[in-house]
Amino acid sequence: MNKNTILATLGVIGALIVLVITIGMTTTNGEINQNQSVLTAKANISKEEQRRVDLFNNLVDSIKSYNNYEADTQSKITDARSKATNGNVDDAAKTLSVVVERYPELKSQKNYQQAMREFSITENRLSNYREDYNSAVRNYNIYVSKFPKKQILSLLGVRPQHYDQLDFKVDNKKATNLFK
């Protein structure tokens, strides 16, 4: 064999080695990107699940506050009637006018309405994040199943992911009041 043939053969072998290494690196990096998309989608669902718990607790607090206010309002109206029946019409009128003035500005009712809007928004976000998760898993599985990526990644132990029914445990103790 002549010197030029040996150099050409070594050049071709070197180029093939560089090509294999480049394909391996880009395939591995692509798998990492796809996997991160799946993990991000899971994290978004987890975040919204916690938001849902926060909103639910705020909704309950808002209803309790509204019920307390209604009971207080009813008590003041009964008191005003009693005063009027006993002949103390001026005091009755003052008590009743305070109740009427405060009633339109019922903060707990506004909080309730806001919580319901936020709850609806959160449910829509959860739906979108679940779709994103399913899409990310599908894209990941397509990526790791294509030739030659499947062969390269299977050497590294990478397998397609399963569509998990995500059941996130949220901490009810961490619920925050969104209306303060």
Side-chain angles (χ1 to χ4, degrees):
M1 286 188 137
N2 100 22
K3 187 176 178 182
N4 288 339
T5 306
I6 294 173
L7 287 176
T9 305
L10 289 175
V12 168
I13 291 172
L16 285 174
I17 290 172
V18 168
L19 180 65
V20 168
I21 290 172
T22 302
I23 291 172
M25 285 176 30
T26 57
T27 299
T28 302
N29 289 340
E31 186 274 335
I32 290 169
N33 288 337
Q34 295 289 330
N35 191 46
Q36 285 303 311
S37 294
V38 172
L39 294 176
T40 299
K42 277 185 179 182
N44 286 339
I45 292 171
S46 176
K47 174 186 60 104
E48 284 302 309
E49 290 285 351
Q50 183 64 51
R51 178 179 162 80
R52 180 199 276 171
V53 168
D54 292 348
L55 284 169
F56 183 77
N57 287 333
N58 280 282
L59 183 60
V60 168
D61 290 344
S62 181
I63 291 170
K64 284 179 185 176
S65 176
Y66 182 76
N67 288 343
N68 290 339
Y69 181 79
E70 286 292 318
D72 185 49
T73 302
Q74 185 65 36
S75 172
K76 287 180 180 174
I77 291 171
T78 304
D79 184 45
R81 281 186 188 148
S82 173
K83 288 177 182 176
T85 304
N86 292 333
N88 198 348
V89 178
D90 287 337
D91 281 348
K94 286 179 189 174
T95 302
L96 199 53
S97 71
V98 168
V99 169
V100 170
E101 285 174 15
R102 287 182 56 203
Y103 197 83
E105 298 188 20
L106 188 58
K107 184 175 186 253
S108 58
Q109 186 176 14
K110 289 178 186 176
N111 289 347
Y112 171 78
Q113 291 169 347
Q114 181 183 352
M116 290 305 291
R117 277 192 302 275
E118 292 294 326
F119 203 65
S120 175
I121 290 168
T122 299
E123 290 300 319
N124 289 336
R125 284 180 179 170
L126 274 170
S127 176
N128 290 338
Y129 287 145
R130 286 183 182 120
E131 286 178 27
D132 290 347
Y133 169 76
N134 289 336
S135 178
V137 171
R138 184 189 72 245
N139 291 340
Y140 178 88
N141 289 344
I142 289 170
Y143 184 86
V144 301
S145 298
K146 286 185 176 179
F147 180 81
K149 295 173 182 133
K150 180 178 182 175
Q151 289 68 26
I152 295 168
L153 293 171
S154 66
L155 293 173
L156 301 173
V158 174
R159 303 282 180 256
Q161 294 190 12
H162 298 285
Y163 292 92
D164 296 327
Q165 176 63 34
L166 302 176
D167 183 26
F168 292 100
K169 304 294 181 206
V170 291
D171 188 358
N172 216 358
K173 294 175 183 140
K174 288 184 180 178
T176 56
N177 189 337
L178 303 176
F179 303 111
K180 287 188 176 179

